[in-house]
Structure formats: structure tokens, C-alpha cells
Amino acid sequence: MDNITHSIIGFGVGELVHRSLPGEADDISQRVRHRLLLVSCALASNFPDLDLFLTGLLPDPLGYLLNHRGHTHTALLALPQALLLAALLWLCWPAARALLKASGPARRGLSASIAAGFALHLLMDYTNSYGLHPWYPFDGRWFFGDMVFIVEPLFWVAIGVPLALIMRWRTARWLGFAGLLAALLLFALKGYLSWPSFAALLLIGLACGAAQWRAGAGGRGGLLLALGVCVGFIAVQGAASHAGRERIDAALRQADPSSRVLDVVMTAFPSQPLCWSYVSVESNEAAGSYRLRRGLASVAPAWLAPLACPAALAESRTAQSLSASVVQFESGQGSLARLRALKHDNCQVDAWLRFGRAPLLDMVKGELSDYRFALTPRGNFTTLHMVPAAACPDGVPGWGYPREDLLAPPH
């Protein structure tokens, strides 16, 4: 997820932890604990992304692809990271240090906030199609949730409105409301968010805000409702992703019965469970080739046709209909033998294939790129320019190959 979402979730959970604990002995201690738990949970919710400073350890683009969402995004290294964050807070925050020495609830709250922050970072990163490998070194496989758009405004609204109401200063409160509304309007006007979704988000914000208002000065009603809405939304997105994948898989099999569908990468639209972008990976061992397709799908085409999904996330090129639910915009093909030979002979390609989920091989340009990111605004950041006899990169992590099923013939 983006770091704004990680931060909002961290602040919300930190506030909920604080309000769930017994009060401190005096107002000053209560205020220190409040700030400590919010800051610690928000920092923990972002801490694993410090691996961005490690991207320079490998040449581009391998440094970003293999070291971001790398070791700091594993369950094994969550504990030392949590201990490091707790130590930094202890050393750099004298008032918090004094409170922690004297207060059991503050110590429990700090432990819960930091643990929740790290766990939520990994869980939220799992929900999108970029993926992570949380069980390394015991299991190097990537896990992809394919459920939630990487910038999801529902989390901002559901959690942000109760947080804004909790703010002590009226100016800050209204700035919070204005910022949320401006972000939603920008998403809608730019075509990333449909107007029905915009209206639904406003209703969710009003409901969570009203629940928090009714809960009173020390209440948790709005925060608990926001947490329930977020969990329910992820569950709905998971079910919709599964249904959409089944529709796409069926359409692909009908379009080419001779190919085997290995994977369908599902990318959600913001706050719109019916609309999905997809990238498919198909293999035809007999022909010695594989195919990648990119398109749109609707879970309920009778209500919302694929091409009626928010325009900014749909391609402008001519669409080919594969079924009532599925359209295809573009496709690419590659040679299985050539891809497998490059993996064996080119150590840079071998390293890249520890990231690539949808490898598009262009031998004319001498490039290898991940088809998932073909339409990013600044170009495909995954593109590897293959250099013959290039020096092998040192320190390549041992992540599993997402396309192991493509890189070796089936037994």
C-alpha cells in the first residue's frame, strides 16, 4: 500500500489501542501516552519500507525489484525491527521513557501498537497484486492477495473521519475533513473513482463519523465501525477477485483451448468491487510459446459493463471482447525455450525472474519487463535491458521464482 494509507491505518489503530486501555494517573501522562501510541503505531506501519534505502545495493532495476518488499517485509525480521523502533522511542523521547518506567498500561499499549503496526503493514501489502514473501527464509515463495488497489480511498475515509473528529483543535479538524473531500473529488474528476463510489464513500464517512460522535469524548464507536468496514471491504474485494478470476479463466480457455492458464493477476479499481484489470499468463508447451494478455473484467456485467468502469484505469485502445464480462486490450507472446535459456545463461535475467510475475520478453529491443506494470505513468519501472556477458550482481536475495511454472517444462 502507499504510505499515506499505512499512516492513516497506523494512527487509527494507535488511537483505538489508547482508548481501550485504563487511563493514566494524570492528564499530562495521559496526553504523553496518547501521542506515544499514535506515533509508535504509525511509525511501525511504515517502518518496513525503510528497505527503500537498500535499493542501491543492486543495479537498476534489480535493486528496487528485489530489495523493496524484501527482508524487512518478512515475519522473521519483524521482531528485531520492532525492538529497534521501541529502543529509538525510548532513547529519543524522554517524556515517553519516564511514562513507560512508571505505567504498565503504557508499556502494554506500546507493545500492542508496535506489534499491530508491523503486522498491518505486511497484511496490507499482501492485499494487492505486487505481493511479498513473508515466510522467507523458510519459504521463499511470493504471495499475492490481488484484492485491493494500492491507493484505496475507503481506508482514508472510514478511519480518517473519526480521527478528524477526535482532533482537539477545530482548525485541524476541518482541515482534515477538507483534505479528505478534496482527495475524493480529485480521484473522481481524474476518472479513477466512479461517482457512485464517491457517493458511497461519503456515506461511509458520515456513518463512521456519526458513530464516533455518539461514542463521546473517550468512546471508540466510530473507530470500531471503521475497522469493521475496512475488514468487510477486504472480504468483499477478495470474493469479487475470486469471482472475476473465474470469469477471466473461463473466457481465456474458450478463446484458446490449447493453452494452459497459469495465472491471472487481478488489480482492483479504487472502491469499486465490480471492476478489475487483469494480466493473464498462458503457456502452450506443444507450440513452445507463452502468451500474456491485458484487459478488463466486470464481476457483474449486467450492472456494469467492463468498458463502463472508471476511465482513467482503462486503456484507450480498441478492446476485443472475450465474453460479456471480459475484454482484452493487448497481448504479447514469447518463446519458452528462449526464456528458459536466458534464465540459465544470463545471471541478470535469473535475478530478475525472482521478481517477475508476468515476464514479457522483447528480443528485438533486448528487454525483459513485467507486464503488470506496462501502464504505469512513468513507464515500466521493471524493464531490464539485457546486456550480454554483463557482470553478475552480488547479494541477490533468494526469493522464489513467481513463474516457476513457466520456467521449467511440466513433469
Side-chain angles (χ1 to χ4, degrees), residues 38 88 125 129 202 207 234 238 244 260 268 335 356 364-365 381 398 409:
L38 264 67
L88 290 173
D125 277 358
S129 59
L202 290 183
I234 293 173
R260 183 166 62 106
S335 164
V364 176
K365 295 182 179 179
F381 63 89

Side-chain angles (χ1 to χ4, degrees), residues 196-218:
S197 296
F198 176 87
L201 290 175
L202 290 183
L203 290 175
I204 288 170
L206 287 172
C208 293
Q212 189 59 42
W213 185 268
R214 288 197 302 270

Side-chain angles (χ1 to χ4, degrees), residues 140-217:
R141 287 180 299 165
W142 286 81
F143 291 85
F144 308 97
D146 288 7
M147 291 184 285
V148 178
F149 191 65
I150 197 165
V151 181
E152 178 46 67
L154 178 133
F155 301 127
W156 300 3
V157 171
I159 299 172
V161 171
L163 283 178
L165 285 171
I166 289 167
M167 292 179 181
R168 295 173 59 193
W169 297 283
R170 182 177 297 178
T171 301
R173 186 182 306 159
W174 286 109
L175 284 174
F177 291 143
L180 286 171
L181 182 59
L184 294 185
L185 282 171
L186 181 63
F187 268 57
L189 292 172
K190 291 286 187 179
Y192 294 103
L193 186 69
S194 66
W195 288 108
S197 296
F198 176 87
L201 290 175
L202 290 183
L203 290 175
I204 288 170
L206 287 172
C208 293
Q212 189 59 42
W213 185 268
R214 288 197 302 270

Side-chain angles (χ1 to χ4, degrees), residues 252-271:
L252 295 176
R253 292 178 189 279
Q254 184 174 9
D256 184 3
S258 64
S259 290
R260 183 166 62 106
V261 180
L262 301 178
D263 194 9
V264 178
V265 180
M266 302 292 287
T267 300
F269 278 57
S271 304

Side-chain angles (χ1 to χ4, degrees), residues 274-337:
L274 301 184
C275 292
W276 296 84
S277 298
Y278 73 87
V279 168
S280 64
V281 183
E282 303 162 67
S283 173
N284 189 328
E285 199 70 35
S289 64
Y290 70 97
R291 180 193 291 117
L292 306 173
R293 304 182 199 243
R294 192 170 65 237
L296 280 180
S298 171
V299 174
W303 295 348
L304 186 67
L307 294 179
C309 291
L313 294 174
E315 297 183 48
S316 58
R317 64 186 76 238
T318 303
Q320 174 188 352
S321 178
L322 300 183
S323 72
S325 303
V326 182
V327 298
Q328 174 187 317
F329 291 121
E330 198 172 62
S331 68
Q333 281 192 301
S335 164
L336 288 170

Side-chain angles (χ1 to χ4, degrees), residues 325-393:
S325 303
V326 182
V327 298
Q328 174 187 317
F329 291 121
E330 198 172 62
S331 68
Q333 281 192 301
S335 164
L336 288 170
R338 190 167 292 167
L339 183 66
R340 291 165 183 171
L342 282 169
K343 177 188 180 300
H344 182 268
D345 299 333
N346 188 316
C347 52
Q348 288 194 331
V349 171
D350 180 77
W352 186 95
L353 287 169
R354 294 183 183 274
F355 170 84
R357 187 179 177 188
L360 179 64
L361 184 60
D362 188 333
M363 293 304 298
V364 176
K365 295 182 179 179
E367 294 178 347
L368 182 62
S369 58
D370 196 313
Y371 211 40
R372 286 179 292 174
F373 307 105
L375 296 178
T376 52
R378 297 182 181 179
N380 196 327
F381 63 89
T382 70
T383 300
L384 173 71
H385 301 281
M386 295 179 290
V387 179
C392 292

